[in-house]
Structures are given as structure tokens and as C-alpha cells.
Amino acid sequence: MCGIVSYTGKRSARQALIDGLKRIEYRGYDSAGIATHEKDTLQVIRKPGRIEVLAEEVDKVEPEGTLGIAHTRWATHGEVTEANAHPHLSNNGKFALVHNGIIENYVTIKKFLESEGYTFSSETDSEVLVNLISYHYDKEPKNDKNNRFCESIRKSLLHVEGTYGIVVICDDYPNDLVGARKSSPLILGIGKDEKILASDVSAFVKRTQDVVYLRDGEIIHVTEDDFSITTVTQKDVTAVIEKIEWKAEDAELGSFKHFMEKEIFEQPTALENAMRGHFSEDATTAIFGGLNMSAQELRQVDRIIFCACGTAWHACLTAEYLIERYARIPVEVEYASEFRYRNAPLDKNTLVFVVSQSGETLDTLAALRESQRKGYRTLAINNVVGSTIARESDGGIYQHAGPEIGVASTKAFTSQLVIVAMLALYLGRMRDMSLGDGSQFVNALKQLPEQVHQILEKSHYIQEIAQKYAHHEDFLFLGRQILFPIALEGALKLKEISYIHAEGYPAAELKHGPIALISPKCPSVFLTNQESIFNKTLANMQEVKARKGEILAIAAAGRIFPEGLVDDLIIVPPAHAALQPILATIPVQLLSYYIAVERGCDVDKPRNLAKSVTVE
Ligand code: F6R
């Protein structure tokens, strides 16, 4: 979704801004722009389309200023046009602003400003805010130069409802950036003779790993050699400088064609990293100290609610099957966007988990806050250290999957799957899972990275199958029990990167409606289980075959299918029941990836999608 990069330092801002924008390009956007401070005026360059288009224009103009702000916009208010792109200038040209989020009461503020003589050249809510800042600046005492800039922003924000990460520059202040956040991330990177204030650490990880994460309600005033933080309610804040653990190379393509491909192939390592340090010494259970809950407290939990969006929601659905089966605790799975408004009655011994790769998804964050407001202990499974969800939760588990740049989640999903499997083991062993079963579970987990590696070694074969199926416009993904969430994930992966219509169903639901779609034009991808339910899935496959539907099956080695039933077969290693979802995921990821490549789609930047969804 929208991204912010801003720079103050000794060098020209232009290089850092364009480089930063390219590094956050993966978040999804449809226009981009920069504003620099040039000898007492602010110069704005904006372009619809890709950053390369903006960069060409910037190269022509050659701005030299050492202070600047930049933005990638994912359209919400108003179409993708140059006028709606950020940065936005105030009417008098004194202020330039970049904004992530949505100002919900912008219509009221706009009417007020219009009555004061302000005019607007865009349809955005953001242009309203920059003019409100300008309005307050004119009202501030002129002799208090130190405070005037920050104060005008603080006063403006008091009137704003909604969400924002903003950075503002003013032509009276050639070295100063002022930023603020509410439910939209903003992070300060502290480099040598330079500072970068951005919405994503990827924007500056090549330059520095020393960071300060801003919290909601904070305003930061940054110059090239200093910074200070206060709150909208005028309190001083002591900043904590932290080190980020990602390196610039983690976010680079290397020898891969796409980040999605790279991240699919990184899964053996990502799974090892997710498991590292979480096995008991006697290898009979998992341990999760970060939950900040004693065994006694965990034993008292009699219901768990999982909340998330998209792919992370599929990981939650897998958690439901696993935790109910191995720990015998009832689990409910909620879309975060529904949970936050649903006002569900919860029991006192309910534990809530939110699952979010980015840790910034607005609906998931809101679900976390709503749950905490009602007094429920709320834990997070999250991949980004220092993210808002990680900081606001009462405890949790880091995925340690490394940065995920491809918009379609792959390694972050399987690392969530392994974590929820280990959670089921941890909770199960505290209740009635035997020592023998625990130790078998741990052994299976330890073999998992190698098993994933074995599937990845078959990627060329999966690519050939993908090429055969790539011309279809409709797909069904079908799986039963613990593989049902993976059927949903397979359908989501395919539709988001190849724009093919795909639906995921529990295989037995086929005859309750979707069977009407079956024809030679609509292939079915069957995810088959290794247990007794396999035979039931076979019956569902027969129903498809009887209607001339093509069948691509994913099955464990040793599974035997009746002659002629399956058109293509991808074999995965046999595994512990709890880990079958992870092994079934790898072929569906590869299938989607290769189909999208075959159709010439922009895999890492699929249309209309954003990596981190920071609006409702
Ligand atoms: C799909 C995908 C999305 C995200 C969803 C939640 O491939 O990546 O569905 O899973 O937007 O994102 P996080 O996990 O960052 O909260």
C-alpha cells in the first residue's frame, strides 16, 4: 500500500528518495512523487505509473536539495492521476506533505478551509491536511521559529479523525522533517550525517540498521544531526534506538527472476528459522517463552480465537484443525475486519491470537486493540520485529522468515503454519498428549525442511504441469479437513498473481453447488490427505471425472489412484498429519507461480494488490 520515504542529510536527497521508493515498490502503488527543498522553494515532481517513469523525470529536472519527501500512492480518494499523486503542496506552496492512511473527516475540514478561502486541485483527503497545517502555521506566533512548524502540525492533528503516517517539509526550514503517525507505520533510520524517515525499514536498510519506531500519537522532528519526539498531547518521549536484524541482501533478488520465486525456494531455511530455539531439551514438546504465559495460565484457557486477513487467515484456519485435534481446545477463526465490529461475546478464559506477517495490517491491528480493550490477553504471530502489532500485543511468536517482498505471501505463510503446528504441540503436551506422541511430533518437525527441499527439487516437473494448465480461466482447489485451508490458499495464490478465477472448497462441498462449474475447461486441483479420509476424497474425484473435469492431484508417495482418474500427479513426501498442510502448500505455490509466469503476469507486483494493507 502507500509508502513514504523522506531524507535530510549532507548529500542530495534525490538519490536516497528514488532508491528508497524502489525498495518499497513491492508494497503496491499506482503513482509516485517527490518534493525537495530547493533554495527556499519546494519543488514537486509526480507521475502516475511506475517509479522508473518518475525517476526519468527527476533525472531531467536534477533537483539538488538535501531535504526531501517521497511517496508511492495506492489510490483510495480519487483516480490515478498526477494531481492526486503525493506529495501535496499547500495553497501557498510553503508546505509539502506525504500521507499514508485515510483522513475520515476530510470533508468537514475541507468545507472549513474552503470557507477560509483555500482551494484544492486534487480529490484527495491528504491535500486537505497539508492546507490545515498551513492554516495553523499562519496562526502560530511568528517569533517562536523552533516550535512553529511542529506546533502547526500538532494542532492540525488534533482535528483529524482517521489514520495517518505523514511527513511534512516547509520552505522556511531547509533541514527539517516533521513526521507523525496514527495506525500507519513510520520509522526513523539514523545514518551517518543523514536521517531517513520512512514507512518501511526496507527503504533505508542499505544505509543504516539503527532505527527508532514511532508509536501512535507521536510527532517526530528530525534534522540531519538530531531528532526529538513528543506526543500530540504535548508530552516528551524518550526515544529508544534499536537495531534491525535484516540486511540489504535479504531484500535483493540474487539469481532469481522474481521475489516470489526466491521466497518459495527460501522456505526450508525460513522453516528452520521459525523452529529454532523452540524445542524442549528432551525433544518431546515445543516451547514459546514469548507468549508471556505460564503453563498454569495456558492450562486455564478454554477457548482460542484467531484473527487475521487473507493468507494469514488461512494459517489460522489450519490452527483450528491442529489445536482442536492435538490440544483439544475449541478454536474459532475470525476475519479481523469482521471481528473488530462484531462485538462477539467472549468467555473470561478466552485467549486471542492475531496473525500478521507484516504486523501492520490495519484490520488485524484493530482486532488486536478491540480484543485488548475488552480485557482479553491478545498474542501475535508476526514476521516483522518492531511492527505495530508486535509492539502492542501482550506477547507472541516471531516467525523469523526474513523480509517477504513478493506481494503474494509464501514463506511467511508456511512459517505461520509451522508455528501453529508447534503451538498445537505445546498446548497438547500441557494437556493430554503423551510423551511418545510429542516426541514423534518433534521428530517430524525436524525432518520438515528437508522434505520441503525435496519438493522444491521437482520444480521443473511442476513447471511443465503449470504450462499445460496455464490457458484455463477457471480452477477449483479441493481438499478435506486439514487440507481445506490449503485449498483456499491455493485458489487465492492463483487468482492474485495470474488473475485466473479460482475457488477453494472442502472437497465434499463440491456436490452442493460448485460441481456445476465442472467441465473440460475447469480443472480441479485435489489436495489429498494421507489418512482414511483419502478414500472419501477419491469418491469426490470420481464425481469430477464423471463430468469430464481434468484432475491434478497432490498426494503423498505410495498413494494409489484408480487407473485413469488422475490426469497429473505431484508427489510429496509422506509426513506427520500436522505437517501435511505445509507439504501440500509448496506445490500449489509453485503451480500458481509458474502459471502466472507462463501468462506473462507481473508476479511480484500483481495489479491492484498491496503488500501491507494499511487501510480498512
Ligand atoms: C496474499 C497475501 C494477503 C495477506 C493479508 C494479510 O498472498 O499476502 O492475503 O496475507 O493481506 O497480511 P499480513 O499477514 O501482513 O497481515
Side-chain angles (χ1 to χ4, degrees), residues 534-555:
F534 177 76
N535 289 332
K536 307 274 178 201
T537 314
L538 278 187
N540 303 135
M541 289 167 121
Q542 299 282 13
E543 291 155 10
V544 170
K545 204 70 230 165
R547 287 159 185 86
K548 297 195 175 19
E550 269 185 292
I551 293 182
L552 165 54
I554 297 170

Side-chain angles (χ1 to χ4, degrees), residues 309-312 355-359 361 364 407-409 492-493 496 613:
C309 304
T311 285
V355 181
S356 172
Q357 183 281 131
S358 62
T361 301
T364 312
V407 165
S409 186
L492 179 68
K493 220 75 314 172
E496 63 185 339
V613 183

Side-chain angles (χ1 to χ4, degrees), residues 151-172:
E151 267 306 286
S152 59
I153 292 177
R154 195 186 68 76
K155 290 204 172 123
S156 304
L157 294 179
L158 287 174
H159 297 279
V160 162
E161 286 164 22
T163 59
Y164 52 80
I166 54 165
V167 182
V168 188
I169 55 176
C170 173
D171 70 359
D172 292 338

